[in-house]
Amino acid sequence: MTNAIANLSVNGKQVEAKLGERLLEAAERAGISLHCDCGTCVCESSRVTVISGNVEANGTRLKSTVLACKATVAGDAEIMLPASSGLQSLKGHVSALRKVSDDLYELRLSFTKPISWRPGQYYHVEFRGHERINLSASFSLDAGTEFNTLIFLIEEATTPDLFAMLVKKGDVKGRVGITGPYGSSFLGHDDERLIMVAGPNSLAPIWAIALSSVMGQPRREKVLILDRSLEDAKFQQVFNWLKRRGLLPVFADLQSGTAEANLKNLLPDLTEFDMAYVAGSRSFIAGLESVFVDAQATYARIPQFQPWEAAVGANADAVTLEPAE
Ligand code: FES
């Protein structure tokens, strides 16, 4: 870092920043909190839009956005943060637990205060005596929801410890703490065609986005592409609900060596005027990324990760695509 000073505008607020300083620190000095979660380029919570000026993306650029936990000030610049909900730390309790299938539970947590989140975001959830986990907020599989309630889909494959606890104590009524919401890849109000892609064990955030867009953006063109592993009877309620409202899920092999080609075939007319959300493991997302980057579509990642993954080889595994603008 040098001592040279640049002028940074963060959501319209002016702040002086040193060249080489991370955008994150500069934004915080401007009094704007970014709700960073991982600090290691995993969670996507610190993605900001560079409106103009000089920013060193350090391998995190996606179209006009960068990760503020890694990108640094390279000159005068104007950046914009997504209009997210404020962070909340709340204590609540398990109000309902429904077994959907042998490997899937629907968990409802209730709170005394209203909960505000956007489809695509996730929470830190901590049960007494258990390690903190990240869970994507979602809707019930029958599309119902309740005031002051958070709904999570608990799958054995992604959260085996929590799943085992729920199976063991079928009537768990314990206290639970949450902090969030995190993540910047949430449903916006744009007019572009909306493309939603979900990988294995990653239906929850895409279901939340699909339901919200069907209800709130009825005229927006939508495409829903799901990995074939999700074509399972336990999700039939979801598919039926969407079909009744005109959104037909398309199932495809998105994991094998032909995944990219399969996705391209399903989106032959992809352009920079499309907005895509892709949910899945980091390797799943990275495997499909070039389809959207090549077409210059606007593209948001919803990574499925647990806190400990950030520490284990985050750098070795980090996706560092930096397409030209
Ligand atoms: S805090 Fe920057 S990606 Fe997680």
Side-chain angles (χ1 to χ4, degrees):
M1 201 186 312
T2 73
N3 285 328
I5 297 293
N7 294 312
L8 205 63
S9 166
V10 187
N11 284 9
K13 282 195 179 175
Q14 304 300 321
V15 64
E16 288 191 341
K18 292 195 187 96
L19 295 188
E21 183 180 18
R22 290 192 304 170
L23 298 184
L24 173 62
E25 277 88 28
E28 275 170 2
R29 263 188 294 103
I32 296 176
S33 172
L34 270 156
H35 305 173
C36 281
D37 186 11
C38 69
T40 52
C41 303
V42 177
C43 72
E44 291 285 316
S45 294
S46 67
R47 193 162 284 286
V48 300
T49 302
V50 181
I51 305 290
S52 63
N54 295 321
V55 164
E56 175 52 61
N58 293 322
T60 67
R61 186 180 298 280
L62 267 181
K63 283 195 106 176
S64 59
T65 69
V66 297
L67 292 177
C69 62
K70 183 88 178 196
T72 51
V73 177
D76 293 350
E78 182 183 356
I79 64 171
M80 191 65 82
L81 276 55
S84 177
S85 317
L87 271 193
Q88 290 178 295
S89 274
L90 295 174
K91 293 263 186 278
H93 68 277
V94 176
S95 53
L97 178 67
R98 182 171 80 89
K99 180 178 175 181
V100 179
S101 69
D102 283 347
D103 58 356
L104 176 68
Y105 276 77
E106 196 177 276
L107 174 70
R108 286 172 192 244
L109 304 182
S110 292
F111 302 87
T112 51
K113 289 186 182 161
I115 310 287
S116 174
W117 58 280
R118 296 201 178 188
Q121 291 192 296
Y122 67 93
Y123 281 87
H124 293 173
V125 182
E126 208 163 345
F127 291 85
R128 190 175 298 161
H130 282 262
E131 212 167 336
R132 188 193 89 195
I133 52 174
N134 295 330
L135 295 175
S136 289
S138 194
F139 294 108
S140 158
L141 296 178
D142 65 5
T145 189
E146 285 166 23
F147 196 55
N148 291 3
T149 298
L150 270 178
I151 295 174
F152 299 108
L153 305 181
I154 310 298
E155 297 192 67
E156 187 173 18
T158 47
T159 50
D161 291 348
L162 175 59
F163 187 87
M165 181 188 92
L166 297 178
V167 171
K168 223 167 33 197
K169 305 182 188 175
D171 62 346
V172 64
K173 290 276 187 284
R175 297 276 288 169
V176 56
I178 59 150
T179 305
Y182 293 101
S184 60
S185 300
F186 47 75
L187 179 67
H189 296 287
D190 302 307
D191 297 330
E192 305 121 317
R193 180 171 62 156
L194 175 64
I195 296 166
M196 298 159 276
V197 180
N201 310 113
S202 295
L203 187 64
I206 292 297
W207 165 225
I209 288 179
L211 184 150
S212 303
S213 62
V214 164
M215 300 298 279
Q217 305 172 338
R219 274 197 281 275
R220 189 171 181 183
E221 192 183 346
K222 305 170 190 72
V223 178
L224 176 61
I225 301 174
L226 306 177
D227 181 68
R228 209 173 278 298
S229 62
L230 296 170
E231 194 172 18
D232 190 300
K234 67 190 174 199
F235 295 127
Q236 201 52 51
Q237 257 185 315
V238 165
F239 306 144
N240 290 345
W241 190 93
L242 291 170
K243 277 183 201 162
R244 280 200 300 277
R245 286 155 184 85
L247 182 55
L248 261 60
V250 176
F251 296 96
D253 171 11
L254 300 178
Q255 295 188 76
S256 71
T258 59
E260 245 183 291
N262 297 344
L263 187 60
K264 253 187 196 155
N265 285 340
L266 291 169
L267 298 168
D269 51 351
L270 191 67
T271 71
E272 74 263 39
F273 300 112
D274 291 313
M275 172 73 222
Y277 294 87
V278 181
S281 67
R282 280 183 287 156
S283 58
F284 175 85
I285 292 173
L288 300 177
E289 197 137 68
S290 66
V291 174
F292 301 103
V293 170
D294 291 350
Q296 299 193 354
T298 305
Y299 167 58
R301 304 163 175 152
I302 306 178
Q304 172 203 94
F305 75 104
Q306 295 304 337
W308 54 89
E309 286 178 33
V312 182
N315 292 334
D317 206 15
V319 176
T320 53
L321 273 177
E322 189 157 9
E325 280 183 86

